[in-house]
Amino acid sequence: MIPFLDLKAINHQYQQALKEAAARVIDSGWYILGEEVAQFENEFAAYCGTEYCIGVANGLDALTLILRAWIEQGQLTEGDEVIVPANTYIASILAITENRLKPVLVEPDPETFNLDPTLIERHINEKTRAILTVHLYGQITVIDTIMSIARKHNLKVIEDCAQAHGACYQGKKAGNIGDAAGFSFYPGKNLGALGDAGAITTSDPQLAETLRALRNYGSLEKYKNIHQGVNSRLDEMQAALLRVKLRYLDMETEVRRSIAEYYSQNIANPVVQSPIAQVRESHVWHLYVIRTELRDRLAAYLQKQGIQTVIHYPIPPHKQAAYIDLNSMKLPISEKLHNEVLSLPMSPVLSASDIDRVVDAVNVFQ
Ligand SMILES: *Cc1c(COP(=O)(O)O)cnc(C)c1O
């Protein structure tokens, strides 16, 4: 079986360094908000090119806390609207509704799967306060149009970078383009911890300070609470492990890019549409997502050939039981994508023969 993603093999590459990092934390006797988190925050901010990085417990909290911080600062208030792509992982929407803000779902560009910038302005009204853009599947959103719309209408821009660690747009990294960005280090992400972990990047000093307090009970100084905060801290163990893996992120991204290029050059089946990268740097290939009207049959066929695939995602957010109010919305582009997308095996540890087997199996399918 060619697994969709073999986390054990990915982490095995660095097992010596990971075990040393874990031992360092065990021996330190300090497990929450210590030297490892501080160092990881510095290193990840430097990697993204931002002034600040704030480690948090997971990617959903990263996004949720950014909006929450603006509410605490009086820049956003309950009922305000946030523009968000209609085809995204549910976490992007949950971050908005958890703050009692209103998600305004906008259709994607089916070529890139990302928010279609030409559709944004018609959704802006006097309640619109922010755009939450998602760099889906690892491809950075065409962001300059979004930034100029945001500046014109005085909107905040949040980047959901959970799938796009290291993606670049005109020399700038994901996480260093909007006002703030949320990252996930869930084990299966391109930069994956060995448990739950996340971070926020920003170059806004006030926002960074509010976020540092919010993640730690609303406190910057022990037992002095300036906000009704939460407990959402990145722990020392995950930070130490992430510091090891951050060193290899760019190398792994290059492997992902060559696999994606190989797939794109060699998959030639008229019923299958391959994904495209605008430029090489724009995509870090968290997922290699093909489209076909015969999606369910192709997935079953590949499974029989010993190739595991995954659908990202089978049900769009507006059709989820959790969002009954949104169920009657008509978003035909998103709905069509959800019916047609299929993610092929993609990871930095796929062997050349595995990749060839995937290509051959997709090509003979009819
Ligand atoms: C994974 C993911 C998240 C959430 O990250 P967690 O660490 O699992 O909370 C948010 N947005 C997108 C697009 C994701 O893929």
Side-chain angles (χ1 to χ4, degrees), residues 1-5 299 302-303 306-310 343-346:
M1 188 72 174
I2 300 177
F4 176 72
L5 180 67
L302 292 174
Q303 181 71 27
I307 297 165
Q308 191 186 18
T309 57
V310 182
S343 307
L344 300 182
M346 167 55 80

Side-chain angles (χ1 to χ4, degrees), residues 265-277:
Q265 280 158 14
N266 293 284
I267 290 176
N269 183 330
V271 303
V272 169
Q273 195 180 324
S274 293
I276 47 157

Side-chain angles (χ1 to χ4, degrees), residues 58-60 63 88-89 91-92 134 160 162-163 184 186 189 197 313:
N58 55 65
L60 172 59
L63 296 168
T88 179
Y89 181 55
S92 321
V134 184
D160 181 340
Q163 303 188 358
S184 166
Y186 179 80
K189 306 290 166 137
Y313 298 91

Side-chain angles (χ1 to χ4, degrees), residues 198-267:
I200 297 155
T201 54
T202 182
S203 291
D204 175 341
Q206 274 94 41
L207 181 64
E209 190 171 271
T210 304
L211 286 165
R212 266 185 217 292
L214 279 177
R215 73 164 174 191
N216 190 28
Y217 298 113
S219 164
L220 288 168
E221 217 180 300
K222 206 165 187 177
Y223 305 130
K224 253 186 145 173
N225 300 81
I226 48 178
H227 303 282
Q228 295 173 17
V230 297
N231 177 353
S232 180
R233 300 175 296 219
L234 172 63
D235 63 71
E236 287 286 285
M237 185 62 84
Q238 297 307 331
L241 300 171
L242 284 167
R243 290 181 68 198
V244 172
K245 293 191 71 182
L246 179 58
R247 300 205 295 269
Y248 301 101
L249 175 61
D250 286 344
M251 188 191 82
E252 290 201 343
T253 299
E254 280 309 309
V255 177
R256 287 174 184 273
R257 284 182 178 139
S258 34
I259 295 170
E261 280 159 9
Y262 191 83
Y263 275 157
S264 294
Q265 280 158 14
N266 293 284
I267 290 176

Side-chain angles (χ1 to χ4, degrees), residues 11-24:
N11 289 320
H12 193 82
Q13 302 174 97
Y14 318 119
Q15 62 162 326
Q16 193 64 33
L18 290 172
K19 284 177 180 167
E20 280 167 24
R24 196 168 70 227

